[in-house]
Amino acid sequence: MFRLAAVVAAVTVMATAVVAQTDVVAERKSVMRESGKYFYGALPRMLRGEAPYDQATVDAAFTAFADSAKKIPGLYPESSKNAPRTSDYSASPKIWENKADFEAKVAAYGKSIEAARPKATSLDGLKEAHALVRAGCDSCHDSYRVRH
Ligand code: HEC
């Protein structure tokens, strides 16, 4: 009986760990997709002249980027290193081998958003702002995102 209780307790702990791991991966993917919706979708459509310049959408995009910069550091715990693959992209194990560099990239990304945001008040300004933010997304993806 005692042994059974111990097994049940151990299984519960394991199940909780798996759920926590899956949640954090789902959460960071949803943060990334929210940025991606603007960065790869709404903003390029304006830049290509396929949609009119819309300041409210631009502001919402920068709010999403700034929000992601705040959340990313807490969304990559060591426990999520070997999380099962759930989409075409996953986090490289190098993140946890070079945690200081990863964190430096998040900080640089945050700074690029702050520098870009005040420029994003016109179509011309948005061009420059979009390029600045791109450098932040790409420098992290190039090192730490794996495409399957
Ligand atoms: C500091 C690192 C970092 C920064 C900055 C970053 N990303 Fe990511 N991104 C990742 C990693 C790592 C993944 C792989 C998925 C994961 O982490 O589980 C990813 C995945 C994604 C995905 C795919 C999500 C999926 O469906 O699997 C999109 C879209 C994305 N990022 C967009 C962006 C955009 C747009 C920016 C900039 C505005 C950005 N990311 C900035 C690290 C970063």
Side-chain angles (χ1 to χ4, degrees), residues 3-139:
R3 224 198 255 154
L4 179 64
V7 169
V8 170
V11 169
T12 310
V13 168
M14 274 156 58
T16 312
V18 169
V19 169
Q21 205 184 63
T22 313
D23 283 356
V24 84
V25 173
E27 169 74 19
R28 71 194 185 215
K29 287 193 177 174
S30 110
V31 166
M32 292 291 169
R33 282 175 199 152
E34 184 64 16
S35 292
K37 188 177 88 182
Y38 293 107
F39 190 82
Y40 303 119
L43 302 185
R45 276 197 293 278
M46 289 181 208
L47 293 171
R48 287 193 302 259
E50 294 164 12
Y53 183 81
D54 176 47
Q55 191 64 49
T57 304
V58 172
D59 290 343
F62 275 86
T63 300
F65 302 153
D67 185 56
S68 76
K70 250 186 260 147
K71 286 184 176 158
I72 291 171
L75 292 174
Y76 288 87
E78 177 103 40
S79 59
S80 65
K81 187 173 175 177
N82 298 310
R85 173 145 62 99
T86 56
S87 74
D88 291 343
Y89 295 97
S90 57
S92 163
K94 282 192 279 174
I95 291 173
W96 295 276
E97 287 152 26
N98 308 306
K99 203 64 205 274
D101 181 60
F102 180 77
E103 273 156 16
K105 284 189 164 41
V106 184
Y109 168 63
K111 291 227 171 76
S112 76
I113 294 159
E114 276 169 33
R117 191 169 203 160
K119 298 179 196 290
T121 54
S122 66
L123 190 59
D124 275 346
L126 180 62
K127 261 180 213 158
E128 211 185 321
H130 193 256
L132 273 171
V133 174
R134 178 185 299 280
C137 314
D138 287 358
S139 91

